[in-house]
Amino acid sequence: MRRVAAIVGVVVGAVALVVGAVFAVNVIGIATNPGGFAAPDAYGPGVAMPQMTTPPTADPGEQLATGDTDPAEEPTGLSGSKLAPMPSVDPEWLASVSDATGIPKRALSAYALAHVMIAEEDAECGLDWATIAAIGAVESDHGRHGDSKLDSNGNAQPPIIGPALDGGADVAKIDDTDDGEFDGDTKWDRAVGPMQFIPSTWQKWGSDGDGDGVADPNQIDDAALSTARYLCESGEMTNSEGWRAAVFSYNHDNDYVDKIATVALEFADSID
């Protein structure tokens, strides 16, 4: 299961008990309705999904206006070998959608690229960028939680690290699983990065979304692609039931699912 608690924030709804694990839903930086959210008009049972088109990619060699590395420079992996060039999202689309939604372009490019990549590798899933963006918004305000912000390479600076999952108030008890590699804590696990993965989940799902040869939960392209792959593992997201099941797998709380649906719908509606 991807996350058990988010960072500092407001607890959303009651603590859920799932197969002996406690899922406390803390939403970073977003005030919530303690009574829970009503299911929105879309992403609700029996209601049609918004029709989302795949974000267009840029022409070969076209520079993203987000501070990304020049695509003409071929990145190398840890061994020094050349890596395949990564696709990039059309900068005009990024600028237009960023203006309409308020999502920073650097974060939006990661969500859109994850949409493009998951559509290529798992066409039946049907995951849209607005869903990924909604999770990024709720989990970390697109990497801007607290004093953090995304740098030009998409790294959250400083890293976004959640509280120790030590079984205290509103959090589960999870002993360290990564020897502090991702969260810096050798006693307890902590949720990490703009999409708030716990280390054990990142060890399974961590993906290299920016083509630098490293899967880093603090890097927004990596985290967004990992989120997409995790969600699509649940099954098709082209109907409301499948969509809700996938988001529920990300965080076992129906109030959380409703919140993600509300935010995703706002993003989708803003570009209609």
Side-chain angles (χ1 to χ4, degrees):
M1 297 176 183
R2 186 207 60 89
R3 82 189 266 276
V4 184
I7 322 176
V8 187
V10 186
V11 176
V12 182
V15 175
L17 299 176
V18 182
V19 195
V22 181
F23 289 84
V25 184
N26 268 346
V27 178
I28 302 172
I30 295 182
T32 59
N33 176 358
F37 294 89
D41 291 337
Y43 302 111
V47 179
M49 303 279 287
Q51 296 299 308
M52 302 293 293
T53 58
T54 300
T57 53
D59 293 332
E62 188 172 10
Q63 175 80 24
L64 272 179
T66 58
D68 283 359
T69 303
D70 185 341
E73 298 177 6
E74 296 182 67
T76 59
L78 297 178
S79 65
S81 60
K82 295 294 184 181
L83 299 174
M86 299 295 292
S88 59
V89 181
D90 177 60
E92 292 185 4
W93 184 93
L94 278 177
S96 173
V97 175
S98 178
D99 287 344
T101 61
I103 303 171
K105 284 192 289 185
R106 187 62 189 87
L108 179 59
S109 68
Y111 308 143
L113 183 60
H115 178 150
V116 169
M117 296 175 75
I118 203 68
E120 180 69 22
E121 67 183 55
D122 189 357
E124 294 184 355
C125 174
L127 173 62
D128 60 85
W129 64 265
T131 297
I132 306 170
I135 292 175
V138 170
E139 295 292 353
S140 70
D141 189 22
H142 310 299
R144 298 179 297 188
H145 172 66
D147 295 331
S148 296
K149 64 179 181 179
L150 299 179
D151 66 17
S152 60
N153 292 318
N155 298 301
Q157 300 286 359
I160 302 172
I161 308 294
L165 301 177
D166 58 5
D170 302 321
V171 297
K173 184 177 181 179
I174 303 182
D175 292 327
D176 174 61
T177 62
D178 66 332
D179 198 26
E181 177 184 357
F182 299 114
D183 58 14
D185 191 332
T186 58
K187 186 174 182 179
W188 307 105
D189 267 352
R190 298 168 181 258
V192 179
M195 307 302 274
Q196 285 293 275
F197 280 89
I198 60 173
S200 59
T201 307
W202 186 260
Q203 288 168 340
K204 179 178 180 180
W205 291 99
S207 304
D208 176 17
D210 63 353
D212 67 353
V214 178
D216 181 355
N218 293 296
Q219 205 280 332
I220 189 66
D221 301 303
D222 295 357
L225 180 58
S226 302
T227 296
R229 287 174 171 168
Y230 185 96
L231 290 169
C232 287
E233 177 67 12
S234 175
E236 292 185 15
M237 299 180 67
T238 53
N239 59 70
S240 58
E241 291 81 2
W243 185 93
R244 293 184 68 85
V247 178
F248 187 84
S249 77
Y250 200 83
N251 193 328
H252 285 61
D253 187 276
N254 281 314
D255 286 341
Y256 178 87
V257 177
D258 287 344
K259 179 59 178 175
I260 298 301
T262 300
V263 176
L265 183 58
E266 289 173 354
F267 288 153
D269 286 347
S270 69
I271 62 169
D272 286 348

